[in-house]
Amino acid sequence: GSITSQVSASPTAGFSVVTFSGASAGTVGHGLGIAPSMVIMKSSSTALGWYVYTSTIGASGWLQLNTTAAAVTGNTAAFGGTAPTSTVWSFGAGLAGTGTYVAYCFSEVSGYSKFGSYVGNGSTDGTFVYLGFRPAFVMFKSTGANVWSILDSSRDLSNVTDLSLQPSSSIAEETGKNIDFLSNGFKLRQTDGGWNGNGTTYIYMAFAENPFKNSLAR
């Protein structure tokens, strides 16, 4: 990239940690070999929020991990308006001059991780999201104004999975998300607009419980 950075990358796991100076706009290397589907970026020297790039929203917008705000669209300030490539992603001019940054970059690895979106149906017989593996961890948020939620198979040992944490809040663990973790994905079992509103788009990141070829049903 055009911005000097320090990169620690595991292309096998589809994950890298990048630190760089935000003195000016430009491109930043990520070390993954394929374009990241999600980049979570935070200033380490100022009080700015956590900016989240997803391929669903694109580089002309973002979500913020620390707030419940709706997705910003039509704005290149954070990610420059240019989609990531197999080597770099873009740091936008709107954040230039705001100190040093750390970025966590994620690319999909078949059978291990998946990043994407789904549309809710507002039913207890909710949307099924195909992953190709049984998830151990799912984080999701609507593109509208609503909370981020994290569910996992370590705290919930059987379906329905409903213990959630909220990156956008300091509240304690909650119950009631009601999602089934299945052998090849997850299925919504609740009607709440935070995760299954009728016609609402949600972005998600998911990681496998038993990676690669041996997904097991509950």
Side-chain angles (χ1 to χ4, degrees), residues 41-79:
M41 175 178 67
K42 173 75 173 72
S43 171
S44 54
S45 59
T46 68
L48 293 174
W50 292 78
Y51 289 86
V52 181
Y53 161 83
T54 76
S55 53
T56 299
I57 296 168
S60 294
W62 63 82
L63 288 163
Q64 283 198 295
L65 189 63
N66 57 301
T67 78
T68 60
V72 173
T73 58
N75 190 324
T76 63
F79 295 105

Side-chain angles (χ1 to χ4, degrees), residues 168-183:
S168 51
S169 170
S170 61
I171 66 172
E173 177 183 78
E174 284 193 319
T175 61
K177 287 296 187 287
N178 293 354
I179 293 177
D180 282 341
F181 280 5
L182 306 175
S183 62

Side-chain angles (χ1 to χ4, degrees), residues 65 87 152 218:
L65 189 63
T87 56
D152 61 74
R218 279 186 172 177

Side-chain angles (χ1 to χ4, degrees), residues 44-183:
S44 54
S45 59
T46 68
L48 293 174
W50 292 78
Y51 289 86
V52 181
Y53 161 83
T54 76
S55 53
T56 299
I57 296 168
S60 294
W62 63 82
L63 288 163
Q64 283 198 295
L65 189 63
N66 57 301
T67 78
T68 60
V72 173
T73 58
N75 190 324
T76 63
F79 295 105
T82 301
T85 70
S86 60
T87 56
V88 299
W89 56 276
S90 294
F91 178 71
L95 295 182
T98 51
T100 55
Y101 278 82
V102 60
Y104 305 96
C105 305
F106 300 88
S107 60
E108 283 192 5
V109 176
S110 179
Y112 174 69
S113 62
K114 194 165 179 65
F115 309 86
S117 64
Y118 67 89
V119 177
N121 66 6
S123 169
T124 54
D125 183 17
T127 299
F128 168 72
V129 182
Y130 176 78
L131 302 174
F133 53 79
R134 186 176 78 192
F137 171 102
V138 177
M139 181 170 73
F140 54 86
K141 187 196 181 300
S142 76
T143 55
N146 223 312
V147 298
W148 291 82
S149 296
I150 293 173
L151 294 98
D152 61 74
S153 61
S154 295
R155 291 174 298 140
D156 265 314
L157 302 180
S158 62
N159 288 322
V160 194
T161 302
D162 74 343
L163 297 174
S164 68
L165 296 170
Q166 295 181 8
S168 51
S169 170
S170 61
I171 66 172
E173 177 183 78
E174 284 193 319
T175 61
K177 287 296 187 287
N178 293 354
I179 293 177
D180 282 341
F181 280 5
L182 306 175
S183 62

